[in-house]
Amino acid sequence: MTAIEHFWAVIPAGGAGTRLWPLSRSASPKFLRDLTGGGRSLLQGTYDRLAPLVEDRVVVVTGRAHRDAVAAQLPELGAESILVEPSARDSMAAIGLAAALLERADPDGVMGSFAADHVISDEGAFGECVRTAVEVARDGWLVTLGIEPTFPSSAFGYVHLGEPLDGHAGVCAVREFVEKPSVSVAQEYLATGRFRWNAGMFVVRPTVLLDLLAEVDPDFAAGLREIAADGGRLEALWPTLPKIALDHAVAEPAAAAGRVVTVPASFGWDDIGDFDSLATLLESDETTETTVLGDSSLVHALQSTGLVVPAGDRLVALIGLDDVVVVDTPDVLLVTSRARAQDVKHIVAALRESRVELT
Amino acid sequence: MTAIEHFWAVIPAGGAGTRLWPLSRSASPKFLRDLTGGGRSLLQGTYDRLAPLVEDRVVVVTGRAHRDAVAAQLPELGAESILVEPSARDSMAAIGLAAALLERADPDGVMGSFAADHVISDEGAFGECVRTAVEVARDGWLVTLGIEPTFPSSAFGYVHLGEPLDGHAGVCAVREFVEKPSVSVAQEYLATGRFRWNAGMFVVRPTVLLDLLAEVDPDFAAGLREIAADGGRLEALWPTLPKIALDHAVAEPAAAAGRVVTVPASFGWDDIGDFDSLATLLESDETTETTVLGDSSLVHALQSTGLVVPAGDRLVALIGLDDVVVVDTPDVLLVTSRARAQDVKHIVAALRESRVELT
């Protein structure tokens, strides 16, 4: 696989992954963890997947608290490749800052934004999809990678396909972005064949992205460009930037204006939103036994199914439980069911409310 | 409550309590643990219950591995009050050894045998029941305490009542001892009103016990008496003694011979056979929440019921599980359901089979 000229990978590395607590913590979030058992963190996996496409043109955007961990996990990156946000201001500011810097650094550049905490199963297909997306983006489109849905998920947003784009087989306009639907609505989406999962992966020329932003919020785009022109302005301007996701700030209005297209993506993708999806990702085809993330010699299960994470270096014995989730860490133990995996965030919220550490 | 003259309490302190693993271990068995959350171990609770009835006439029979722990938990006992078995040879040998020693030490004595790992809820009623049992035992009977069944348990053996004994209200002959029945058979037992739980509590004159044993196994009784006469013979003779429970060795044949009576006992009793019965013992009347044995500030439960033992000094979070059992210890975690609590022994057996420590 050859690298794509003038293509830059932007990796926003933020988000606590609260529903994966206690594996994911504020101080050690999801993207820094190895959740696939392959020996590399999700961030490292994201880098590994992109490096063949971009060579050294990688920018990671992260918070102050995680700069050292990111640098340690990705020693290939020079210090200038890690952009540090003074505070968390959501994805538009994070990705927009990278866009403003790249706009100046490489006027012929195309950037792709790929979250640091997703999992993709077919890297060859991913690479081909990105290659197509970059080609299309050079023509001035905001390009999304639209994942072929494999089930009617209520955990993901969708893109609604419009007319085909001439000259690029399979590439379609995006009529609109739709928020996470109910399962029944998702079933209707799948039946039409005209909806894809929105994985939050965008490919676009930096100038196009910032100009789209300027159409809806000129001050926001100007602020980002001002910081890029004079790094000394970062601390002063950053706190004034709106806290908004790129989807809402740019992608939705741009879709309404007919400026967004999507490249069909058939590779396996997951954002590992909770322990239920982690279990699905890890389990073997014939799931009659417990799925273990970690040292399986620590787990002794009798007539049980579900997910066990023996990260506490202790023996874990399970008897007669179906679809259970057991996450054992040195200082916290979580026991729930796959069906209730979404509710982990409530426990975390309650602990924060009562000022218990460990989140 | 005044002490009962010439009454001796014998406390066999053995048994691993395998179904309460990992709380109960070979090295730290059930009777040494505080399973009621009251701050005293089951052994200490047994001693506390008996001390008012016997003053200092207490004998604990235990294994070599536990002698020091027993002495530490019961500093009131003199060294001569702790009988150490060279090896585990079941209850007939353990209780028989105490009987043979007491036969010599106090020819007018009556002994009562009370397991070290049971829980009794009404100590006043217990004391009165024992007082009656001692009176009856002085006449030469082997006396059991027959617990009024509160539900058709399949986890306990039963005594089948015969004719009333003249002169002692409520005391009846025992027609036979019956093994743990099925629940449906237990229901039939309860319907007749003629069955009581066999809690393994016997009150008897030492000489009567040994003579009953001599009728079925003269060598066994002679061996015990030989050891009592000459302590130097213990190491040589002990390994030759049959490994058999007192129930089978003496109580069942004696019942068949019309030599056993039972005193009705209305106090609450439990042998805490597994985590299900422990949960029942600990739970409040209105069980809509998780029952915690230990520091409840460590447990954060959301819409869950069951038993949590946070003995690992870590935060335990539970979400959406009913009748779950979570036992967290520093080196082992057990997760199961109340319904499967009996199967804990299978995990322990499997671990021993594969030579894993920690049991």
Side-chain angles (χ1 to χ4, degrees), chain B residues 20-231:
Chain B
L20 290 176
W21 177 89
L23 213 51
S24 180
R25 314 267 182 112
S26 302
S28 173
K30 182 181 162 191
F31 63 84
L32 293 173
R33 308 293 306 234
D34 170 16
L35 294 186
T36 63
R40 300 279 283 169
S41 73
L42 295 179
L43 171 66
Q44 290 172 320
T46 304
Y47 176 85
D48 295 347
R49 191 158 56 237
L50 290 163
L53 303 175
V54 296
E55 292 172 336
D56 60 351
R57 294 182 299 276
V58 175
V59 175
V60 177
V61 190
T62 195
R64 279 204 173 118
H66 306 306
R67 175 182 20 198
D68 292 349
V70 167
Q73 289 202 355
L74 297 177
E76 304 88 341
L77 293 187
E80 74 290 350
S81 295
I82 303 178
L83 298 185
V84 178
E85 307 166 278
S87 61
R89 296 208 77 74
D90 216 325
S91 61
M92 186 66 245
I95 296 167
L97 176 62
L101 290 162
L102 293 178
E103 180 182 45
R104 301 176 68 87
D106 183 0
D108 296 324
V110 173
M111 64 184 275
S113 170
F114 305 95
D117 55 3
H118 293 180
V119 168
I120 285 172
S121 60
D122 180 346
E123 306 210 343
F126 172 74
E128 288 315 306
C129 184
V130 169
R131 205 173 291 273
T132 301
V134 173
E135 265 176 47
V136 176
R138 291 200 202 279
D139 293 339
W141 298 98
L142 175 59
V143 185
T144 75
L145 272 51
I147 313 289
E148 190 72 46
T150 53
F151 67 100
S153 173
S154 62
F156 305 138
Y158 287 72
V159 293
H160 186 181
L161 302 186
E163 296 302 309
L165 185 68
D166 284 345
H168 295 282
V171 179
C172 288
V174 170
R175 288 176 58 172
E176 61 175 344
F177 290 84
V178 290
E179 298 277 345
K180 298 175 185 180
S182 66
V183 168
S184 61
V185 169
Q187 283 167 335
E188 291 171 23
Y189 288 174
L190 265 62
T192 68
R194 303 300 296 162
F195 286 82
R196 298 216 178 103
W197 286 338
N198 172 20
M201 296 187 279
F202 292 97
V203 178
V204 64
R205 290 180 49 216
T207 299
V208 170
L209 182 69
L210 293 169
D211 287 351
L212 285 170
L213 176 61
E215 288 179 21
V216 289
D217 190 340
D219 289 348
F220 197 166
L224 291 167
R225 282 172 161 146
E226 189 174 340
I227 294 168
D230 176 5

Side-chain angles (χ1 to χ4, degrees), chain A residues 202-269:
Chain A
F202 292 95
V203 179
V204 65
R205 289 182 49 216
T207 299
V208 170
L209 181 68
L210 293 170
D211 288 351
L212 285 170
L213 177 60
E215 288 179 22
V216 288
D217 189 340
D219 290 347
F220 197 166
L224 291 167
R225 282 172 161 146
E226 190 175 340
I227 294 170
D230 176 5
R233 301 286 291 143
L234 175 67
E235 295 291 337
L237 288 174
W238 189 259
T240 72
L241 301 179
K243 248 185 168 170
I244 185 171
L246 187 146
D247 288 64
H248 300 315
V250 163
E252 289 165 9
R259 308 280 294 275
V260 185
V261 297
T262 187
V263 175
S266 58
F267 51 79
W269 166 85

